[in-house]
């Protein structure tokens, strides 16, 4: 019974990533072992003998013993059982194809020639920085991949120069976006480094050990009692001045009221009128 299957279409992103990974140099593996074991391998003339250097070597399996027909006057003993060919001359690397114009090229060509050559190195640098920030070892971290890509692409834009030292907060469109949509502050657990957090924890623990001593406990108890006794001293002073100010205002109002009632007992002809001195009156009196 035949089975008809559907062939999966290879995506352009997978092809680009595969090609880019082949171009990368091999990274050394982290060897955390204290001792390295000894590997026992078989001697291979094509890998150890200088006779094989610069040639293409292939081991040939034969039925009879090749050493029986070996002539040391014609060849080297290390060549027994091997066939050698000279390497072909190295050809010059062909020049890169001229990219098509931006306005007329296809979407695939636009991605291959204008997007991925800039984006893939940025992604590689982001992954390296994430490894330094230990993002693959923790659940919570302060590293933001989008912020790093934004800063990297801004600095490495081939059309502009002088951006190598610009920070994320100095980019114009980032300033505008953060002004319209401010971010909440990060907690200290994400802002502090391990060294800074260790200093804070150690200082707090040293203070706790000091506060546990007996003479420090006595001092803290006296300070607590003193604060309890003088906790409302400000309120007491405020109440005292309120009472005195209210009493003085009531006394002055009573004096004015008594003076008005006393002057109202006499008729108007006996009441004295007083005027404030004016320049004309002063001049008349002097004349």
């Amino acid at each position: 019974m035949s089975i008809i299957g559907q062939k999966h279409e290879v995506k352009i992103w997978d092809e680009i990533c595969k090609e880019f990974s082949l171009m990368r140099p091999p990274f050394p593996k982290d060897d955390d072992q204290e001792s390295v074991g000894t590997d026992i391998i078989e001697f291979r003339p094509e890998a150890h003998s200088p006779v094989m250097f610069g040639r293409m070597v292939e081991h040939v399996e034969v039925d009879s013993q090749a050493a029986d027909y070996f002539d040391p006057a014609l060849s080297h003993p290390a060549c027994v059982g091997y066939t050698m060919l000279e390497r072909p001359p190295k050809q010059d690397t062909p020049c890169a194809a001229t990219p098509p114009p931006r306005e007329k090229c296809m979407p695939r060509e636009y991605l291959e020639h204008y997007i991925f050559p800039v984006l893939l190195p940025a992604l590689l640098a982001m992954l390296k920085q994430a490894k330094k920030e230990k993002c693959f070892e923790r659940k919570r971290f302060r590293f933001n991949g989008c912020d790093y890509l934004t800063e990297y692409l801004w600095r490495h834009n081939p059309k502009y120069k002088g951006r190598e030292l610009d920070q994320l907060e100095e980019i114009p469109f980032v300033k505008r976006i953060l002004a319209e949509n401010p971010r909440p502050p990060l907690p200290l657990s994400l802002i502090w480094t391990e060294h800074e957090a260790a200093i804070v924890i150690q200082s707090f623990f040293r203070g706790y050990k000091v506060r546990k001593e007996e003479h420090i406990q006595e001092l803290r108890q006296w300070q607590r009692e003193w604060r309890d006794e003088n906790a409302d001293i400000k309120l007491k002073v405020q109440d005292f001045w309120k009472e005195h100010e209210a009493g003085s205002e009531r006394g002055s109002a009573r004096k004015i009221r008594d003076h008005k009632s006393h002057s109202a007992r006499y008729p108007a002809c006996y009441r004295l009128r007083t005027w404030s001195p004016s320049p004309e009156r002063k001049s008349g009196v002097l004349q």
Side-chain angles (χ1 to χ4, degrees):
M1 180 178 179
S2 61
I3 300 176
I4 300 175
Q6 183 179 4
K7 184 178 179 181
H8 296 283
E9 183 180 359
V10 181
K11 299 180 179 180
I12 180 175
W13 176 256
D14 297 335
E15 294 181 2
I16 296 295
C17 292
K18 184 177 180 180
E19 294 176 2
F20 188 75
S21 62
L22 296 176
M23 296 168 57
R24 292 174 52 196
F27 294 99
K29 297 182 179 179
D30 298 333
D31 190 6
D32 297 335
Q33 299 179 359
E34 297 180 356
S35 61
V36 180
T38 303
D39 296 334
I40 301 175
I41 59 175
E42 186 180 358
F43 176 76
R44 296 166 50 207
E46 69 272 15
H48 299 84
S49 178
V51 181
M52 309 293 184
F53 179 77
R55 295 182 175 86
M56 296 186 297
V57 182
E58 181 66 24
H59 183 70
V60 180
E61 298 290 343
V62 294
D63 298 336
S64 60
Q65 293 290 336
D68 297 341
Y69 305 97
F70 172 72
D71 187 1
L74 300 177
S75 180
H76 193 273
C79 301
V80 176
Y82 291 87
T83 179
M84 293 186 298
L85 294 176
E86 295 291 338
R87 290 183 180 274
K90 185 177 181 181
Q91 299 180 357
D92 297 335
T93 305
C95 299
T98 305
R102 295 172 180 265
E103 296 79 9
K104 300 180 179 179
C105 63
M106 301 296 291
R108 182 187 181 95
E109 295 176 345
Y110 187 84
L111 291 174
E112 291 179 353
H113 293 88
Y114 297 103
I115 300 298
F116 290 141
V118 180
L119 182 60
L120 291 179
L123 293 175
L124 179 60
M126 182 194 69
L127 293 176
K128 291 182 178 180
Q129 185 65 25
K131 185 178 180 181
K132 292 180 181 179
E133 298 287 343
K134 299 182 179 180
C135 298
F136 306 111
E137 303 175 8
R138 302 172 179 172
K139 294 183 179 180
R140 299 175 68 249
F141 42 83
R142 62 178 177 178
F143 179 74
N144 192 323
C146 294
D147 290 350
Y148 185 87
L149 283 178
T150 303
E151 183 177 339
Y152 184 92
L153 295 175
W154 174 267
R155 290 181 176 181
H156 296 81
N157 192 335
K159 292 185 177 181
Y160 303 95
K161 296 182 179 180
R163 294 182 173 182
E164 291 78 11
L165 301 178
D166 291 354
Q167 300 296 328
L168 180 67
E169 295 78 8
E170 301 175 356
I171 302 176
F173 66 87
V174 175
K175 287 183 179 179
R176 185 179 64 257
I177 294 175
L178 293 179
E180 296 175 356
N181 305 296
R183 295 180 177 180
L186 293 176
L188 295 178
S189 59
L190 299 181
I191 296 176
W192 287 344
T193 61
E194 292 183 355
H195 181 68
E196 295 172 345
I199 291 176
V200 174
I201 294 173
Q202 291 174 3
S203 62
F204 178 81
F205 184 74
R206 286 196 298 268
Y208 169 75
K209 296 290 288 183
V210 171
R211 289 191 294 270
K212 284 185 63 178
E213 298 180 3
E214 294 183 1
H215 62 281
I216 301 297
Q217 288 290 334
E218 294 179 2
L219 176 62
R220 296 185 68 192
Q221 181 65 26
W222 176 83
Q223 291 176 344
R224 189 180 301 110
E225 295 176 356
W226 185 85
R227 284 194 298 267
D228 294 340
E229 293 178 358
N230 300 278
D232 56 346
I233 186 65
K234 293 183 179 180
L235 298 178
K236 292 179 180 179
V237 173
Q238 292 176 2
D239 296 340
F240 172 81
W241 284 112
K242 284 180 180 179
E243 293 177 359
H244 282 266
E245 290 176 358
S248 61
E249 291 178 358
R250 286 195 299 269
S252 60
R254 187 181 302 108
K255 289 180 181 179
I256 295 172
R257 188 170 56 255
D258 294 343
H259 176 71
K260 289 182 178 180
S261 62
H262 180 72
S263 60
R265 298 175 186 174
Y266 299 93
C269 60
Y270 293 102
R271 297 178 188 174
L272 299 177
R273 295 183 181 180
T274 58
W275 293 273
S276 60
S278 60
E280 293 116 2
R281 293 193 182 93
K282 286 184 179 181
S283 61
V285 172
L286 292 174
Q287 291 175 0

